[in-house]
Amino acid sequence: MQTRISLRLLPSEAASEQTVKTYIAQAAAVKTSAVSGYNIIQQSVDARRNVVYIHLSVEAFINEPHVPRKLLSFAFRQLPPRAKKVMIIGGGPAGLFAALQLIELGIKPIILERGKDVRARRRDLAVLNKQGIINPESNYCFGEGGAGTYSDGKLYTRSSKRGDITRILNLFVHFGAEENILYQTHPHIGTNKLPRIISAMREKIIDCGGEFWFHKKMTDFTVDKNGKIKTILASGEEFADFDAVILATGHSARDIFLLLQHKQILIESKPFALGVRIEHPQSVIDSAQYHCAFRGDFLPPASYSLVEQVQGRGVFSFCMCPGGIIAPAATNTNEVVVNGWSPSRRNNPFANSGIVVPVNAEDVTAFRQYGALAGMYFQKDVEEKAYVAAGGCFAAPAQRMEDFVNNKISGSLPDCSYLPGIRSANLQDVLPGYIYQNLQIAFREFGKKMKGYFTNEAVVVATESRTSSPVRIPRNPESLHHPQLTNLYPCGEGAGYAGGIVSAAMDGEKVARQIAQQLFH
């Protein structure tokens, strides 16, 4: 028989398949030999008490052969010669998953990506990290796979309203991810493994008859009397032979926001969040979360999720990276932006997380002359101040945590994973006053919730500013096209409809299905 059983095990027990079978047998009141196998349905760590447990929900096979987990199948077939065509601007998760969905629906995707493929992109990141030289078109934000490719590969979303993520996770497994992402509470691929998965997706798109072009930056477009859109590239090339355009350019494509505003295409200001990235020794987080001096061999590096209401605003952790690295996520020469990522093993000695404060319309009134782009210019202003404060070459301004709270410039800084380097600075000169003050209060409160968190072993690095797009490109809630341009479909994080890899992928598929419905109506 097949039965679902919930187990609470010590970490060492959960790591042993034979021990898990023994516990299954006890729960089912049968001999261990009767348990032929099991599939894990859900796995999570419970560190709320002094003893840490692993919770497993399993589908057990008793007195019958074990049937391995059944994965979803996908219909990626060769496209017909005269398939309808959809242009996709941007090769991030929204664009990639839109393309894969279009292929399943018999529509040819043509992806234009301003940056480079994942292999060439890696070389540009090395130059940025080691020499402080940035390629504005190939960096942590731009290039194949988008901002998620080299910034961690977390595969979960805060919002359950977006729908079921099962299909998205199965697609990642189909293209090479490990099956454990299907049942982990917080699935994670890792920056070292995600690029080859992205490459496999691109190869499938091309094998099926789609197109994927690099170094193709859209700088303008025109619309004819029938609503058809012609894209104009920086190279002077023009593309016009397609039935719809998906705009999936990511949260940092400021040139696209400027272009839309210049052409009087409706865009809207949108709330976002801004703050800092905080880095602790991973051992400090492990000790606090697992209530022990050493984590041991059977537990993953500990993470955390913190939130505190301060002066009517939520201050919260964002994109927490256990065993991770702080990365330079700038897209221009005169700004400092930091982000975080972890390799699949999460085996680096530091843990980092964004700690951010919401930014609303009333906070950006000093930039109201920019209209819907007020938030973008607010964001840009803070990033440029961070660049100046650290002295250039993408070094990041930083303070020890207690010094930050006590308004003290740090006489020295601890070791930090940020490769371009950190430099001691007064972050009051970088961050808006209310953000700095709210962070000061929140750090003390976080220290009360989590033993060891508030410490001068931790370093505060500015600035974490690309949490989400400060602009929304509106679309009809049913047809999903722009209210002024019926062939333009804003999509993903850059358009304001997603917040990470999974939600962007889901939005890409959603838009693709809607386009297919329109084209085959």
Side-chain angles (χ1 to χ4, degrees):
M1 68 173 180
Q2 298 176 30
T3 182
R4 181 170 292 197
I5 294 175
S6 295
L7 303 172
R8 188 176 73 161
L9 309 173
L10 294 174
S12 58
E13 295 172 332
S16 168
E17 181 177 339
Q18 188 58 41
T19 303
V20 174
K21 286 184 178 181
T22 299
Y23 277 99
I24 290 171
Q26 291 175 2
V30 298
K31 292 180 179 180
T32 303
S33 59
V35 182
S36 63
Y38 62 90
N39 298 326
I40 301 175
I41 306 302
Q42 190 170 28
Q43 175 182 302
S44 62
V45 178
D46 183 356
R48 293 173 295 177
R49 302 172 182 84
N50 288 332
V51 179
V52 180
Y53 291 101
I54 304 295
H55 281 286
L56 292 180
S57 176
V58 302
E59 177 188 30
F61 293 79
I62 299 171
N63 291 319
E64 67 174 83
H66 172 231
V67 179
R69 186 191 317 277
K70 186 176 181 180
L71 302 177
L72 297 182
S73 59
F74 303 96
F76 299 123
R77 302 186 182 94
Q78 188 69 29
L79 292 164
R82 296 190 179 185
K84 292 183 180 296
K85 300 176 184 178
V86 171
M87 178 70 72
I88 301 173
I89 311 297
L96 281 169
F97 280 76
L100 291 169
Q101 180 75 93
L102 288 170
I103 287 171
E104 287 191 282
L105 297 169
I107 299 171
K108 179 177 180 174
I110 303 168
I111 298 179
L112 300 187
E113 168 55 51
R114 68 194 295 166
K116 299 180 181 180
D117 65 81
V118 287
R119 180 175 296 182
R121 188 179 174 193
R122 192 191 299 274
R123 292 192 287 271
D124 291 327
L125 299 184
V127 171
L128 172 59
N129 280 309
K130 296 175 183 177
Q131 301 177 35
I133 300 172
I134 192 168
N135 181 336
E137 308 303 335
S138 177
N139 45 61
Y140 276 95
C141 290
F142 298 145
E144 185 177 15
T149 302
Y150 290 105
S151 59
D152 210 37
K154 295 181 184 69
L155 299 180
Y156 49 95
T157 174
R158 291 173 182 264
S159 175
S160 60
K161 296 179 181 178
R162 300 187 193 278
D164 184 9
I165 70 170
T166 302
R167 176 181 157 87
I168 301 300
L169 297 181
N170 271 266
L171 271 164
F172 275 109
V173 172
H174 180 84
F175 286 104
E178 295 180 12
E179 283 190 29
N180 60 17
I181 67 170
L182 299 176
Y183 56 77
Q184 292 175 333
T185 302
H186 294 130
H188 171 257
I189 292 177
T191 305
N192 55 319
K193 293 185 176 182
L194 192 56
R196 63 176 172 79
I197 295 170
I198 298 299
S199 295
M201 291 180 179
R202 180 231 308 159
E203 289 165 5
K204 176 58 68 175
I205 290 167
I206 295 172
D207 287 347
C208 290
E211 298 180 24
F212 202 124
W213 298 100
F214 295 105
H215 310 287
K216 302 294 185 184
K217 179 181 177 180
M218 184 182 78
T219 55
D220 200 0
F221 64 89
T222 60
V223 184
D224 68 18
K225 62 182 180 180
N226 297 316
K228 292 281 188 176
I229 296 173
K230 177 170 68 176
T231 60
I232 302 168
L233 309 188
S235 61
E237 297 171 275
E238 298 181 357
F239 289 86
D241 183 23
F242 40 83
D243 298 284
V245 178
I246 296 177
L247 190 63
T249 48
H251 59 44
S252 291
R254 291 171 172 169
D255 55 311
I256 296 298
F257 301 144
L258 288 166
L259 174 64
L260 293 174
Q261 186 183 61
H262 174 72
K263 298 181 79 68
Q264 298 183 330
I265 303 300
L266 183 63
I267 56 176
E268 302 167 347
S269 182
K270 169 186 159 298
F272 61 106
L274 185 145
V276 296
R277 194 150 280 264
I278 185 83
E279 184 171 82
H280 291 79
Q282 181 63 52
S283 58
V284 170
I285 305 303
D286 290 342
S287 179
Q289 296 295 74
Y290 293 146
H291 322 292
C292 58
F294 300 100
R295 180 176 78 241
D297 296 329
F298 299 106
L299 283 169
S303 62
Y304 61 81
S305 178
L306 295 168
V307 63
E308 184 68 30
Q309 289 296 317
V310 179
Q311 300 178 15
R313 295 178 191 260
V315 181
F316 57 95
S317 58
F318 171 83
C319 183
M320 199 276 149
C321 301
I325 287 174
I326 299 178
T331 50
N332 283 302
T333 56
N334 62 339
E335 63 195 25
V336 168
V337 182
V338 293
N339 198 351
W341 62 268
S342 300
S344 57
R345 293 177 61 191
R346 291 178 161 172
N347 57 349
N348 286 298
F350 299 104
N352 69 77
S353 178
I355 306 293
V356 295
V357 182
V359 177
N360 302 312
E362 61 269 21
D363 302 315
V364 299
T365 53
F367 300 91
R368 60 180 175 271
Q369 70 268 32
Y370 298 107
L373 299 183
M376 187 189 83
Y377 279 96
F378 172 94
Q379 190 186 55
K380 187 172 183 285
D381 179 67
V382 177
E383 294 166 1
E384 291 175 351
K385 286 178 179 176
Y387 187 87
V388 171
C393 289
F394 298 100
Q399 284 175 275
R400 292 179 182 265
M401 182 185 277
E402 290 181 21
D403 294 343
F404 178 93
V405 171
N406 294 319
N407 299 314
K408 176 184 175 182
I409 297 178
S410 299
S412 66
L413 294 171
D415 290 339
C416 179
S417 65
Y418 184 73
L419 289 178
I422 55 174
R423 294 179 186 170
S424 185
N426 187 348
L427 296 187
Q428 282 185 307
D429 298 333
V430 175
L431 301 170
Y434 81 92
I435 290 179
Y436 187 92
Q437 294 157 16
N438 283 20
L439 289 171
Q440 286 180 305
I441 296 169
F443 286 151
R444 286 192 182 277
E445 295 303 313
F446 291 163
K448 297 174 184 177
K449 296 178 177 180
M450 187 174 164
K451 184 179 178 181
Y453 184 88
F454 183 59
T455 173
N456 251 3
E457 287 188 72
V459 63
V460 182
V461 184
T463 179
E464 172 74 64
S465 51
R466 307 285 177 94
T467 56
S468 66
S469 173
V471 176
R472 176 173 286 109
I473 305 173
R475 65 190 189 191
N476 184 291
E478 294 181 359
S479 64
L480 304 185
H481 62 64
H482 191 278
Q484 292 170 276
L485 302 172
T486 56
N487 284 326
L488 181 69
Y489 291 80
C491 181
E493 195 164 347
Y497 299 99
I501 293 173
V502 168
S503 56
M506 294 171 73
D507 197 57
E509 290 200 329
K510 177 181 177 180
V511 168
R513 289 192 295 270
Q514 184 59 39
I515 289 175
Q517 184 175 329
Q518 294 294 112
L519 294 182
F520 297 130
H521 180 65

